[in-house]
Amino acid sequence: SLENPEPRTRARGIQLLSQVLLQCHSLLLEKEVVHLILFYENRLKDHHLVIPSVLQGLRALSLCVALPPGLAVSVLKAIFQEVHVQSLLQVDRHTVYSIITNFMRTREEELKGLGADFTFGFIQVMDGEKDPRNLLVAFRIVHDLISKDYSLGPFVEELFEVTSCYFPIDFTPPPNDPHGIQREDLILSLRAVLASTPRFAEFLLPLLIEKVDSEILSAKLDSLQTLVFQTASERVETEGLAALLSLTACLSRSVLRADAEDLLDSFLSNILQDCRHHLCEPDMKLVWPSAKLLQAAAGASARACDHITSSVLPLLLDQFHKHSQSNQRRTILEMILGFLKLQQKWSYEDKDENPLSGFKDQLCSLVFMALTDPSIQPQLVGIRTLTVLGTQPGLLSTGDLELAVGHLYRLSFLEEDSQSCRVAALEASGALAALYPVAFISHLIPKLAEELRREESDLARGDEPTKCSRHLRCLQALSAVSTHPSIVKETLPLLLQHLWQANKGNVVAGSTEVIAICQSLQRVAEKCQQDLESYWYFHETAVPCLLALAVQASMPEKEPSVLRKVLLEDEALAAMVSVIGTATTHLSPELAAQSVTHIVPLFLDGNTSFLPENSFPSRFQPFQDGSSGQRRLIALLMAFVCSLPRNVEIPQLNQLMRELLELSCCHGCTFSSTAAAKCFAGLLNKHPAGQQLDEFLQLAVDTVENGLGSKASRSQAFTLLLWVTKALVLRYHPLSSCLTARLMGLLSDPELGPAAADGFSLLMSDCTDVLTRAGHAEVRIMFRQRFFTDNVPALVQGFHAAPQDVKPNYLKGLSHVLNRLPKPVLLPELPTLLSLLLEALSCPDSVVQLSTLSCLQPLLLEAPQVMSLHVDTLVTKFLNLSSSPSMAVRIAALQCMHALTHLPTPVLLPYKPQVIRALAKPLDDKKRLVRKEAVSARGEWFLLGSPGS
Amino acid sequence: MVGGGSGVGGGLLENANPLIYERSGERPVTAGEEDEQVPDSIDAREIFDIRRCWAWVESLFLHLTHLIRSINDPEHPLTLEELNVVEQVRVQVSDPESTVAVAFTPTIPHCSMATLIGLSIKVKLLRSLPQRFKMDVHITPGTHASEHAVNKQLADKERVAAALENTHLLEVVNQCLSARS
């Protein structure tokens, strides 16, 4: 049949032969292969109906290992010569690509011998290919041609043409496509080809720019403006802007490489042209979209930024003066701010001249106009712009700076209703003071010092509320500008001096003043934490000064004066505690060790020699002396030693610990005994494991047990137990479980039970003064989870076993533990606790109610099926609690009512009329926050089972 | 299937240039509001918040347009201007006298949705305010062709009640109310 005159029959014959070959190509001998190849090559000249089968045969032969050298080339030559590939069917074209691929894999050397003819032949083969499946193969072949270094000869441009015509890929797979080729596959393989050789660059770059020009610029820019920005879809907008940004960035880079200077410029000019008139339109409808476009482009590179800024800024400056309404001015200023910020982004790049410097006078006058605007918004933007201007060197002249400082001074004393503006002004002062300390020292600090002196003399005459708030602002301003070491050297003495003055006998200073000054000091200390030198200066100056003041105040006096004792009040001491803590945590171990040798002897031996004013009427002996005033200062010792780094050795530690223990069980003053207990606990937590720690622990346990046994000091012993337990729980110390059990036992103690229940809150929460991570305490990350798993079963058991009158203590303890636990950890455990929680809803204690509600609320959302079994109880209890006297409980109950609507509707429908009636009452609650929850809960209940919901 | 070069097919513009207003943020909670003892009176801002101010009204319209389009004549979608029906909402409230007055302004005088909008606002207030309040929802004077008829409908308790008996209407109203909550 191979020689049958009817071509269809011949084709079938060859097809049969080809299929046989496909099965057995590996068994063929070299001689047979040569013979077959000659036959097939010859057949290529046959009728076009026969060709597909011939190609299949050749494909089978191309897989032969026994193919002698030279034949691959001759086969390919024959195909290139005889077959017009693109007029074949897709399958047959695919066969051709397969033959080529096979040969390229096995006969690379031979094909390379063919030189550029091979490349040319292939170009002819693939020219006009349209099928995505074939394209994938063809792209891979081109990629191999290039990467395996086949000779391209004079055909580089042709090869580029034949592939680049597919760019950009426009292909949407048909919905029922069985081949699973995605647009991305094609895009990626084409990109691999186009980017595979630098020899394509000269053709590729114009192509890309042309595409960018025609599509991105005209179509995309337009659509970006008109479509993207108006659809209010932020995601699309962000994508669009990101695209523009990377495009510009890409252009900026490619231009540098290809040395075609004007490409970026023309691109940007196009954008500018499109946006310019929007910026100038009086109705300002499209200003923001245009500004965003420009800013996206300017964010791409320093050059783009310069180009855009220099043409847009004059426009905007002009516009600012054309508009007179403050909100329009604010909008324009905000846009200017955006451009300035971008300029800032690129300012690190070494540039000869800042393009903004030409506009600096105009910008400054604009900013000052905004700062004096009657409404707040322009002022706010003005402040932000001023900050950005200030961060770029050379834009603010000395005169401008002086003016700016003057404005900031004025803005720092704004009234309550411009709070946001004042805060912004303080922030700006801080930022600028770090850059221009000299200007602030010479123009701002003297004014503030003057202000403080006025306050002092005013205070001497009597307190006025307006003056009082001015005083506070002055203190805030002082701390806000303390952002530079040289400024701290000015402000810290001022503040300390002020504190001394406030405690002189001739000034009536309330504890609020002292607290305000301490807060200001603390903010200064926080600002100093970055700079080691400044920080040490602060520590070395402020800590002795505060201690001296406090010691002075604690001295017994012949005529007792009320004023002096202000410093010894709980709140004033607490404020000093946080200053000392903040001024100590960041000390290096060496400096801390230096300081500890002064401070510990001060408390243990009354050695006051290092204090700045140390002539006291009598000795300072907080541990021995009976005066309660001196004992209260243990809180300051605690602030210092509990903030030290762990490896700092504390002198006379053994004695210190014993004194602390003794003081902690001393009755009479809760403040000092608690401070001693906390100090002891803080030191215990950091002490390395070993014999000494065990001794301290044994001592503590003995002290606790003795104290609990004696009637007089039970509550002090309990406090000590609580703090020691916390110190050990935090570091996973083995003894902690024993102490926790002791604590749990106290839950049924008629006297200490409620305090023990509240103690669980302390165990689970973070302290601010001792046992903090910042103060170098050993705090293991999962301690809450661990405490939960270790102790909750015992708590639940204790609850069931406890007599009725102390059950609430267990519930309260439990709710403290549950409340502090991260909700995701809690959720899987909750169903087992559910019956307990439902019972807790009836507990009269509002703390228990609140924490139970906050446990149930997420459970309603996450496990509606379990919860719907209890719907009757839940509805009744929640509604009852929604009229609780405590506002927080009412709010939580209404939030639970809202969460109830997540249960299956059929379960809820029987309750709907009742609930809607009942929720009418909280709609008229006297508290707005309660009403808000009632509105949303009732609205949801109305929608239940209603059409359209 | 794959062609050389192509035009990027942009979607149709769905929205002309609406003026974008700054959204009033969450009302900051003041110290007084956290104090158990101090009563807070119901003020205009609260009513405003109840209806989630602008954004709510705006979404209400988009929603209504969408609904009405799907209910009525799919061949004749509403024009874009019609989306921008409400220009401003004015609220007056007196807690001691237990009165609330809400005026809304359709930008085009023939807005067919005015009644439905009024009804939605009214229902939202009914559900969210204490019963003691007397509510008045009306169109800003001089901004709608059939202003009086609409106002009369909205003021008539029985007609409002009857309207809400209508499952279809109730459905539309409920959809509006759940659109943004």
Side-chain angles (χ1 to χ4, degrees):
Chain A
S1 66
L2 290 179
E3 285 168 16
N4 194 299
E6 173 54 42
R8 285 174 209 281
T9 321
R10 283 206 305 281
R12 248 177 285 147
I14 295 178
Q15 190 180 6
L16 179 66
L17 177 62
S18 300
Q19 271 165 4
V20 171
L21 288 178
L22 217 47
Q23 297 300 320
C24 64
H25 59 80
S26 54
L27 306 174
L28 294 177
L29 299 174
E30 190 175 314
K31 225 169 90 183
E32 293 161 345
V33 175
V34 175
H35 193 68
L36 282 165
I37 293 243
L38 285 176
F39 167 71
Y40 271 106
E41 275 179 12
N42 186 257
R43 287 297 91 202
L44 281 174
K45 298 189 176 100
D46 202 343
H47 191 273
H48 69 92
L49 281 174
V50 184
I51 300 294
S53 312
V54 176
L55 287 172
Q56 276 176 27
L58 284 172
R59 184 165 79 89
L61 291 170
S62 73
L63 291 167
C64 280
V65 202
L67 191 74
L71 279 185
V73 172
S74 96
V75 167
L76 285 178
K77 268 188 175 161
I79 291 178
F80 292 156
Q81 217 161 44
E82 307 294 344
V83 189
H84 185 242
V85 178
Q86 286 306 321
S87 57
L88 297 173
L89 289 176
Q90 181 267 330
V91 190
D92 305 320
R93 297 201 302 273
H94 195 265
T95 312
V96 176
Y97 294 122
S98 302
I99 297 170
I100 299 175
T101 312
N102 290 340
F103 282 145
M104 281 175 78
R105 197 173 54 235
T106 51
R107 316 277 152 177
E108 188 179 325
E109 285 312 312
E110 290 177 41
L111 296 196
K112 279 185 179 163
L114 204 52
D117 286 350
F118 174 57
T119 311
F120 181 67
F122 178 72
I123 291 172
Q124 282 184 319
V125 165
M126 86 164 281
D127 192 5
E129 181 60 64
K130 276 199 166 58
D131 188 273
R133 288 161 285 180
N134 289 353
L135 274 178
L136 273 184
V137 188
F139 287 155
R140 204 169 305 133
I141 295 175
V142 179
H143 185 250
D144 285 348
L145 277 180
I146 295 165
S147 63
K148 300 230 169 99
D149 207 19
Y150 282 82
S151 158
L152 303 183
F155 304 112
V156 178
E157 188 167 357
E158 277 79 4
L159 189 61
F160 177 76
E161 287 292 317
V162 85
T163 46
S164 68
C165 64
Y166 300 98
F167 180 86
I169 296 281
D170 176 36
F171 164 66
T172 338
N176 54 354
D177 180 26
H179 311 291
I181 294 179
Q182 292 300 317
R183 194 165 162 263
E184 278 66 37
D185 302 335
L186 284 168
I187 291 181
L188 287 178
S189 53
L190 175 59
R191 193 175 299 157
V193 169
L194 294 181
S196 54
T197 170
R199 297 170 69 185
F200 277 177
E202 60 173 310
F203 313 110
L204 181 59
L205 218 51
L207 174 80
L208 284 177
I209 287 160
E210 177 198 337
K211 298 288 176 193
V212 157
D213 242 30
S214 68
E215 288 176 18
I216 313 293
L217 261 190
S218 57
K220 230 172 212 169
L221 259 185
D222 266 357
S223 52
L224 277 178
Q225 278 177 8
T226 43
L227 181 127
V228 171
F229 289 97
Q230 306 304 337
T231 50
S233 157
E234 281 187 28
R235 218 173 61 82
V236 181
E237 177 183 318
T238 321
E239 295 268 315
L241 290 177
L244 183 60
L245 184 129
S246 46
L247 236 158
T248 318
C250 185
L251 269 182
S252 313
R253 275 197 302 275
S254 63
V255 164
L256 287 179
R257 195 180 58 212
D259 196 29
E261 189 56 46
D262 53 344
L263 286 176
L264 177 66
D265 281 356
S266 62
F267 176 70
L268 293 176
S269 305
N270 261 320
I271 303 183
L272 276 169
Q273 204 169 10
D274 276 2
C275 295
R276 187 188 296 266
H277 64 277
H278 291 307
L279 291 180
C280 301
E281 297 224 351
D283 63 353
M284 300 177 69
K285 265 192 175 173
L286 280 172
V287 285
W288 267 122
S290 317
K292 280 186 181 169
L293 273 176
L294 289 170
Q295 286 169 1
S301 73
R303 279 187 49 226
C305 187
D306 287 357
H307 184 109
I308 290 180
T309 315
S310 54
S311 36
V312 169
L313 263 189
L315 268 180
L316 289 176
L317 288 168
D318 194 39
Q319 285 297 308
F320 185 87
H321 295 289
K322 277 197 188 142
H323 291 279
S324 54
Q325 285 181 26
S326 61
N327 60 348
Q328 292 169 330
R329 290 188 155 193
R330 167 207 164 191
T331 307
I332 296 171
L333 195 57
E334 263 183 12
M335 290 188 287
I336 295 181
L337 175 62
F339 288 109
L340 295 185
K341 274 189 181 159
L342 288 169
Q343 196 68 48
Q344 189 181 10
K345 175 182 168 191
W346 297 112
S347 59
Y348 66 87
E349 290 205 357
D350 204 21
K351 284 187 294 189
D352 308 338
E353 199 181 351
N354 191 330
L356 295 178
S357 51
F359 306 106
K360 68 176 187 179
D361 294 336
Q362 274 176 292
L363 284 170
C364 283
S365 73
L366 208 71
V367 166
F368 294 139
M369 272 169 86
L371 290 180
T372 45
D373 196 282
S375 48
I376 294 180
Q377 290 301 332
Q379 289 182 18
L380 270 176
V381 189
I383 293 170
R384 273 157 54 208
T385 316
L386 179 65
T387 317
V388 175
L389 276 182
T391 48
Q392 298 183 41
L395 290 188
L396 291 180
S397 67
T398 324
D400 291 332
L401 261 176
E402 194 180 333
L403 261 176
V405 170
H407 279 296
L408 288 173
Y409 174 74
R410 178 179 57 82
L411 293 168
S412 307
F413 285 91
L414 283 178
E415 293 306 317
E416 200 56 52
D417 55 344
S418 356
Q419 175 79 5
S420 54
C421 218
R422 196 167 61 81
V423 172
L426 290 178
E427 266 174 35
S429 305
L432 292 176
L435 298 166
Y436 308 98
V438 180
F440 278 80
I441 288 172
S442 49
H443 301 299
L444 186 71
I445 307 287
K447 279 189 185 170
L448 291 173
E450 176 63 26
E451 188 74 30
L452 274 187
R453 267 195 296 283
R454 243 197 333 270
E455 304 301 333
E456 280 160 15
S457 54
D458 283 348
L459 275 174
R461 268 181 269 123
D463 232 344
E464 280 174 62
T466 50
K467 290 282 163 53
C468 186
S469 66
R470 236 186 127 70
H471 176 225
L472 274 180
R473 279 168 206 171
C474 187
L475 291 174
Q476 284 173 354
L478 274 174
S479 60
V481 295
S482 303
T483 46
H484 190 272
S486 65
I487 299 183
V488 174
K489 291 224 160 68
E490 303 282 331
T491 54
L492 181 58
L494 267 179
L495 285 169
L496 291 175
Q497 179 65 23
H498 189 56
L499 192 59
W500 274 107
Q501 288 297 330
N503 286 285
K504 282 273 167 67
N506 58 350
V507 175
V508 186
S511 58
T512 45
E513 259 86 19
V514 175
I515 293 170
I517 300 170
C518 287
Q519 282 169 346
S520 189
L521 282 170
Q522 192 188 339
R523 278 192 297 271
V524 178
E526 280 161 9
K527 296 214 162 71
C528 291
Q529 282 176 346
Q530 309 307 322
D531 181 78
L532 280 181
E533 201 182 326
S534 229
Y535 190 67
W536 175 240
Y537 168 74
F538 187 97
H539 180 88
E540 199 184 32
T541 318
V543 173
C545 180
L546 289 175
L547 286 172
L549 267 169
V551 170
Q552 178 75 42
S554 72
M555 287 296 152
E557 278 174 284
K558 291 185 190 86
E559 356 171 344
S561 125
V562 195
L563 313 174
R564 287 289 188 85
K565 301 301 175 203
V566 162
L567 270 187
L568 300 182
E569 283 175 16
D570 291 4
E571 295 82 16
L573 280 175
M576 291 203 273
V577 163
S578 49
V579 179
I580 295 178
T582 315
T584 307
T585 51
H586 284 55
L587 285 181
S588 68
E590 296 74 37
L591 292 174
Q594 198 176 324
S595 195
V596 82
T597 54
H598 296 306
I599 291 173
V600 171
L602 169 69
F603 282 85
L604 284 179
D605 317 322
N607 182 351
T608 58
S609 57
F610 83 104
L611 298 181
E613 286 188 29
N614 53 12
S615 57
F616 300 109
S618 56
R619 279 183 51 83
F620 178 61
Q621 291 172 312
F623 286 113
Q624 291 91 36
D625 175 60
S627 135
S628 69
Q630 296 199 355
R631 277 193 219 153
R632 295 174 73 85
L633 302 196
I634 297 303
L636 302 184
L637 173 68
M638 167 197 87
F640 174 73
V641 291
C642 292
S643 306
L644 291 171
R646 253 182 254 175
N647 51 355
V648 172
E649 197 184 332
I650 293 165
Q652 301 168 274
L653 181 65
N654 203 7
Q655 190 199 344
L656 181 63
M657 293 298 261
R658 280 163 204 276
E659 298 279 15
L660 284 172
L661 267 186
E662 196 173 319
L663 184 57
S664 72
C665 278
C666 195
H667 50 91
C669 173
T670 324
F671 183 86
S672 30
S673 60
T674 307
K678 283 162 85 172
C679 188
F680 182 80
L683 292 171
L684 206 58
N685 172 272
K686 286 186 211 172
H687 200 79
Q691 198 196 347
Q692 198 179 23
L693 180 68
D694 295 341
E695 277 172 33
F696 288 148
L697 280 173
Q698 191 53 50
L699 224 75
V701 170
D702 292 346
T703 316
V704 166
E705 290 307 332
N706 281 336
L708 287 177
S710 83
K711 200 124 192 76
S713 52
R714 284 197 86 201
S715 86
Q716 283 81 3
F718 165 75
T719 309
L720 178 64
L721 169 64
L722 191 58
W723 282 101
V724 172
T725 312
K726 180 161 176 79
L728 299 187
V729 164
L730 289 182
R731 66 182 273 186
Y732 290 181
H733 190 279
L735 194 63
S736 66
S737 56
C738 172
L739 294 178
T740 314
R742 184 76 180 96
L743 204 59
M744 232 182 277
L746 289 175
L747 282 173
S748 49
D749 185 293
E751 195 187 1
L752 294 174
D758 284 330
F760 280 88
S761 158
L762 185 103
L763 288 184
M764 298 300 282
S765 57
D766 290 318
C767 300
T768 50
D769 44 5
V770 290
L771 296 172
T772 59
R773 279 209 181 87
H776 311 285
E778 183 165 357
V779 182
R780 308 285 284 264
I781 42 169
M782 305 285 266
F783 79 92
R784 289 191 183 85
Q785 281 89 321
R786 187 166 159 150
F787 191 85
F788 173 84
T789 24
D790 287 355
N791 297 299
V792 164
L795 266 176
V796 174
Q797 211 178 0
F799 169 81
H800 289 301
Q804 203 57 42
D805 56 332
V806 292
K807 271 188 196 287
N809 294 341
Y810 284 88
L811 278 181
K812 200 170 183 181
L814 183 67
S815 52
H816 282 310
V817 178
L818 298 186
N819 225 1
R820 299 283 178 172
L821 213 60
K823 285 284 177 280
V825 181
L826 190 54
L827 271 177
E829 307 291 335
L830 276 180
T832 57
L833 298 169
L834 194 55
S835 64
L836 204 65
L837 289 172
L838 291 177
E839 198 161 338
L841 280 180
S842 315
C843 178
D845 189 317
S846 68
V847 175
V848 177
Q849 290 169 353
L850 193 58
S851 81
T852 312
L853 288 172
S854 65
C855 284
L856 286 174
Q857 204 249 4
L859 206 55
L860 286 166
L861 303 178
E862 306 280 330
Q865 296 302 333
V866 186
M867 300 302 273
S868 40
L869 302 174
H870 306 277
V871 66
D872 194 61
T873 324
L874 291 171
V875 169
T876 324
K877 302 272 182 189
F878 290 161
L879 286 179
N880 277 342
L881 291 175
S882 72
S883 52
S884 145
S886 151
M887 173 171 124
V889 172
R890 294 203 296 280
I891 290 176
L894 288 169
Q895 283 168 341
C896 283
M897 280 312 294
H898 190 168
L900 263 182
T901 59
H902 287 259
L903 302 195
T905 310
V907 179
L908 297 174
L909 277 181
Y911 300 91
K912 182 174 166 179
Q914 178 200 347
V915 169
I916 285 178
R917 252 196 325 279
L919 287 181
K921 196 171 151 256
L923 285 183
D924 210 1
D925 197 283
K926 66 173 180 177
K927 300 306 295 175
R928 176 172 296 124
L929 297 174
V930 179
R931 294 199 291 267
K932 195 176 135 205
E933 298 302 335
V935 166
S936 63
R938 195 163 187 254
E940 283 305 306
W941 275 87
F942 258 108
L943 293 176
L944 279 179
S946 193
S949 54
Chain B
M1 276 185 274
V2 175
S6 74
V8 174
L12 283 174
L13 298 187
E14 281 286 355
N15 199 346
N17 313 323
L19 277 174
I20 299 163
Y21 284 86
E22 189 179 25
R23 271 183 60 184
S24 47
E26 284 281 300
R27 181 182 191 147
V29 178
T30 63
E33 283 174 8
E34 285 179 334
D35 186 338
E36 298 256 4
Q37 308 308 322
V38 188
D40 319 315
S41 66
I42 296 180
D43 55 15
R45 173 70 199 261
E46 193 163 347
I47 309 287
F48 208 58
D49 282 344
I50 284 176
R51 292 177 304 92
R52 290 292 182 107
C53 58
W54 248 101
W56 182 74
V57 178
E58 211 162 79
S59 72
L60 191 136
F61 284 107
L62 284 167
H63 213 78
L64 280 176
T65 325
H66 184 71
L67 285 173
I68 289 173
R69 201 188 291 179
S70 63
I71 295 162
N72 292 343
D73 182 7
E75 296 298 310
H76 183 261
L78 292 154
T79 63
L80 299 175
E81 285 118 307
E82 274 177 287
L83 273 181
N84 235 345
V85 233
V86 157
E87 198 174 60
Q88 208 173 8
V89 181
R90 296 195 179 82
V91 181
Q92 281 177 324
V93 61
S94 161
D95 197 11
E97 291 169 27
S98 301
T99 55
V100 179
V102 175
F104 62 100
T105 313
T107 33
I108 48 166
H110 301 284
C111 174
S112 57
M113 289 186 289
T115 321
L116 205 45
I117 293 152
L119 191 63
S120 296
I121 295 181
K122 181 120 190 175
V123 171
K124 184 71 181 174
L125 292 181
L126 277 171
R127 290 177 182 181
S128 309
L129 282 179
Q131 279 171 339
R132 64 186 166 92
F133 273 88
K134 197 171 155 357
M135 293 148 205
D136 173 24
V137 176
H138 59 269
I139 296 180
T140 315
T143 58
H144 196 269
S146 39
E147 181 188 324
H148 288 292
V150 175
N151 285 349
K152 212 170 151 191
Q153 271 184 313
L154 290 174
D156 190 333
K157 269 186 193 168
E158 285 179 9
R159 288 182 77 170
V160 170
L164 294 180
E165 295 286 305
N166 178 335
T167 335
H168 192 63
L169 258 181
L170 183 63
E171 184 179 339
V172 174
V173 170
N174 273 339
Q175 289 200 355
C176 296
L177 298 187
S178 55
R180 216 194 109 103
S181 51

